[in-house]
Amino acid sequence: MGKLDVVTIIIIAANVIISYKGFSDFGFFEKYKFNVGAVRRGEQFRLFSTGFLHADNAHLFFNMFSLYFFADVVIGFLGVFSFVIIYVGSLILGSLLSLYFHKDEYHYSAVGASGAVMGIIYSAILLQPGMSLYMFFIPIPIPAYIFGIGYLLYSIYGMKNRIGNIGHDAHFGGAIGGYAITLLLAPWLFEEDLLMIALLAVPIVLLFALKKAGKM
């Protein structure tokens, strides 16, 4: 993890340039951020453009730092073209899940590449579930699949309880995108590790079961 392919550099550069434009230009930021009311009025481009805006430097750094560590896993297994499909698809699915959960909250707004980045992370976990991850606050390595499942379970908790100023639903939608698109692009995974595919699907199934039961 942690290599820089040209396409990763381009995506990081685009995020930095556009985010800094948004930092200094309020009108630009407001025009391109995700906003439920604007999207429902027909400005669907916001479902995509929001993924290149960030709230502040810390938000931008964390997303790009995460992308830096996981992008090469996906590129290594699937290639650049598939990586871009997963990134863009996860970005849009993250926005769509936010729209689904907040469709009646016309004031609801969000920004960030978190959905796209989470899609790349979940794709990398699906492709290499046995890799170890180190978290800042935990001094021991964590198997990637445990991190992935645990993070999505936390996201469900965050969505249900509106914890923090975090787009938990965009994170979750991005993970769904990374999961589903990776399986479409790499069907051989069904033959190699069907149990892992099923385990990583547990939080996704749980979310929609809770939604159907009216508990979300």
Side-chain angles (χ1 to χ4, degrees):
M1 294 185 290
K3 296 178 183 177
L4 274 176
D5 189 272
V6 173
V7 71
T8 310
I9 295 172
I10 291 171
I11 290 173
I12 291 174
N15 272 277
V16 171
I17 292 168
I18 296 171
S19 290
Y20 269 85
K21 170 68 174 173
F23 293 160
S24 61
D25 187 336
F26 181 75
F28 179 87
F29 185 87
E30 289 295 305
K31 181 178 180 180
Y32 292 106
K33 72 179 183 180
F34 174 84
N35 174 265
V36 170
V39 171
R40 294 194 64 174
R41 287 194 301 270
E43 297 180 9
Q44 280 83 13
F45 64 85
R46 292 174 182 259
L47 297 172
F48 176 76
S49 62
T50 185
F52 293 89
L53 294 169
H54 289 81
D56 52 38
N57 281 311
H59 187 205
L60 173 63
F61 173 79
F62 184 78
N63 275 333
M64 295 305 98
F65 187 69
S66 300
L67 179 64
Y68 162 73
F69 270 102
F70 290 94
D72 70 293
V73 176
V74 179
I75 292 170
F77 275 93
L78 302 179
V80 169
F81 183 69
S82 294
F83 167 80
V84 173
I85 291 174
I86 294 167
Y87 186 90
V88 174
S90 298
L91 191 168
I92 293 172
L93 278 169
S95 294
L96 287 173
L97 195 70
S98 291
L99 183 63
Y100 175 66
F101 276 95
H102 300 281
K103 60 182 179 294
D104 297 321
E105 301 171 47
Y106 281 68
H107 66 283
Y108 182 85
S109 297
V111 292
S114 301
V117 173
M118 193 62 206
I120 294 300
I121 292 174
Y122 219 67
S123 175
I125 291 171
L126 190 58
L127 292 163
Q128 197 172 327
M131 63 181 171
S132 296
L133 306 180
Y134 287 86
M135 308 302 293
F136 292 119
F137 50 88
I138 302 176
I140 58 174
I142 303 171
Y145 72 94
I146 292 178
F147 168 81
I149 293 169
Y151 187 84
L152 290 195
L153 291 175
Y154 169 73
S155 293
I156 292 175
Y157 177 75
M159 291 164 68
K160 184 176 175 61
N161 295 282
R162 302 288 182 106
I163 295 176
N165 188 27
I166 300 172
H168 296 287
D169 31 28
H171 293 186
F172 205 105
I176 294 174
Y179 178 85
I181 298 170
T182 299
L183 290 177
L184 286 173
L185 295 172
W188 45 266
L189 288 169
F190 286 101
E191 298 178 6
E192 289 197 355
D193 207 341
L194 188 59
L195 176 60
M196 189 58 62
I197 290 173
L199 283 174
L200 290 171
V202 169
I204 298 172
V205 173
L206 177 62
L207 174 68
F208 289 102
L210 289 171
K211 179 66 174 175
K212 186 174 183 180
K215 296 181 179 180
M216 291 294 295

